[in-house]
Amino acid sequence: MNKPVSTVSLRVLLLVLIGLLGTIALLFAARDLHQSRNISREVAALVGQNAIADRGLQAIQSFALERGRSNVVLRGEGEISAENQRIIDRQRTLADEHIAALTAKLPDTLSARTEQLQRAWARVKWLRPEVEKDFVRLRAERAPQLSASWLEAANALMLAIESAMIDLAH
């Protein structure tokens, strides 16, 4: 006849099975921990990119208002109104803050875009004093090509910001 299985061997078998299940559970937990850390790193990178993108969008919004209002004044007949000057000054300050923060936060992988953005911004800042002078002149007294130069430089800055945002997204 068959010998009955001893209770000691059943206990050992049960302990081995429990140990094996515990080991499997630990392996799953380790895998999940690794995946969670990877997801956490990806989320942190995405949060950083979103902060940069937010600065870029704020820079575009603020500078677009400066660009548009300045262009209207330069193409108008008379001197700038106090209200337009106030709006332009406010948007210029905001745009400069956002562009400075944006260029500081762009990753090293976008160094060519950062340089393009800085060159376009330098051109705009170089033209601003001339634009300010023309704001207080009548249209007939204004520099004939300044309006076109301003719009070209302003559009180049907008394009540089937008290009950096597109590259950041990829």
Side-chain angles (χ1 to χ4, degrees):
M1 287 183 98
N2 290 340
K3 252 178 148 179
V5 179
S6 74
T7 56
V8 173
S9 64
L10 283 177
R11 284 185 188 150
V12 170
L13 181 61
L14 187 59
L15 286 174
V16 168
L17 285 175
I18 290 172
L20 183 60
L21 289 174
T23 302
I24 290 171
L26 284 173
L27 290 173
F28 278 122
R31 184 199 64 177
D32 289 347
L33 177 65
H34 178 70
Q35 287 175 342
S36 293
R37 285 185 178 167
N38 287 341
I39 290 170
S40 178
R41 273 188 238 113
E42 289 174 10
V43 166
L46 188 57
V47 166
Q49 284 183 334
N50 282 344
I52 295 169
D54 186 52
R55 279 295 188 169
L57 292 174
Q58 290 174 352
I60 288 170
Q61 180 182 18
S62 296
F63 185 70
L65 289 169
E66 176 191 352
R67 176 190 67 168
R69 204 50 86 116
S70 296
N71 196 42
V72 167
V73 171
L74 289 173
R75 293 181 186 274
E77 293 298 324
E79 296 178 10
I80 190 169
S81 69
E83 177 67 11
N84 278 335
Q85 185 68 61
R86 185 188 64 73
I87 291 170
I88 290 170
D89 290 344
R90 174 77 177 129
Q91 294 308 314
R92 181 176 291 164
T93 299
L94 289 172
D96 285 349
E97 288 172 7
H98 294 307
I99 294 169
L102 175 64
T103 57
K105 288 183 177 184
L106 284 173
D108 293 340
T109 56
L110 297 179
S111 61
R113 285 291 185 207
T114 303
E115 290 171 14
Q116 177 190 16
L117 175 56
Q118 289 171 332
R119 282 191 307 271
W121 188 27
R123 173 119 171 95
V124 164
K125 289 193 293 187
W126 182 78
L127 281 172
R128 280 175 174 165
E130 295 303 314
V131 169
E132 286 290 328
K133 288 178 189 174
D134 267 9
F135 280 170
V136 294
R137 296 178 182 148
L138 297 176
R139 186 174 188 173
E141 301 167 349
R142 292 184 185 143
Q145 294 300 317
L146 184 60
S147 179
S149 296
W150 167 253
L151 194 55
E152 181 182 322
N155 288 341
L157 178 56
M158 295 288 284
L159 180 62
I161 296 169
E162 291 167 356
S163 296
M165 295 300 90
I166 290 168
D167 287 356
L168 180 67
H170 293 105

